[in-house]
Amino acid sequence: MSGQRVGVVGDAELAAAVEAGGGTAVDGAFDEVALVVAGGEASLVDVARRGVDAPVLPVGGADGVGSVARDDAEAAVRRVLDGEFDTTRHPVVTVEEAADGSAVAGAGALFDVALVAAEPARISEFAVRSGGEAVARFRADGVVASTPAGSAGYNRAADGPLVAPETDVVAVVPIAPFATHADRWVLPLDDVTLSVERDETPVELLADGRTEATVAADDPVSLSEGADLRTVVVPESEPFF
């Protein structure tokens, strides 16, 4: 059906592809749309944080979510508007201050959550807990917990496991650990806590690479599953990994 409303988060080139594919491009609007088109990883993160009920078509530069190339955007939009598509569910992580249970404003993560020493060449001590039980404690530059979509990023570069889409777990790896051999873990997403164990250097909380807060030793960070993001799967979609 032509003329359906399609929210566009990105540039004018994407809006033109939507119009050529038979849709009516609506800049940045998510209400009453048949589809949302997100150009690049940063735009996809913005869409995930805002929450959207419509399926999302990732276009260009977003590993782990089955994006389509920009040259294929018009054809992909046409398929979706004609009903010729499937979807894949991606869990979006909710980040909370474990001390008081309050959500960190705007810090939902589609790809990963990390605690990282804020000063170069400084390490700290970190701990990981799951289901209330201790999993590990180590000295490192930081620690990152990656969703299935994010497991194709830093996690993969650090020899962490790739996690299949629609799996409600996170892959947890130390960042530059101060150890000869470092373990890596796959944990249920619904109850993971990351914490700083020594108050010796400032540590930042990052969600999808964006600095959200400074974390102290008495301020652990709790992860849980929030709303899902559904991305479109069409023949033009690239492999997830």
Coordinates of all heavy atoms in Angstrom, one line a residue, residues 62 73 76 92 112 199:
A62 N 25.5 -0.5 11.0 CA 25.1 -1.0 12.3 C 25.3 -2.5 12.4 O 24.4 -3.2 12.0 CB 23.6 -0.6 12.6
A73 N 18.1 0.6 0.4 CA 17.1 1.2 1.3 C 15.7 1.3 0.6 O 14.7 0.9 1.1 CB 17.5 2.5 1.8
A76 N 14.1 -2.1 0.2 CA 13.7 -2.7 1.5 C 12.5 -2.0 2.0 O 11.6 -2.6 2.5 CB 14.9 -2.5 2.5
V92 N 16.5 -4.4 24.8 CA 17.1 -3.1 25.2 C 17.3 -3.1 26.7 O 16.4 -3.4 27.4 CB 16.3 -1.9 24.7 CG1 16.9 -0.6 25.2 CG2 16.1 -2.0 23.2
D112 N 25.5 -2.1 24.3 CA 26.3 -2.5 25.5 C 26.3 -1.5 26.6 O 26.0 -0.3 26.4 CB 27.7 -2.9 25.1 CG 28.4 -1.8 24.3 OD1 28.3 -0.6 24.7 OD2 29.0 -2.1 23.3
D199 N 37.6 2.8 45.3 CA 37.4 4.2 44.9 C 38.7 4.9 44.7 O 39.0 5.8 45.4 CB 36.6 4.8 46.1 CG 35.8 6.0 45.6 OD1 35.8 6.3 44.4 OD2 35.1 6.7 46.4

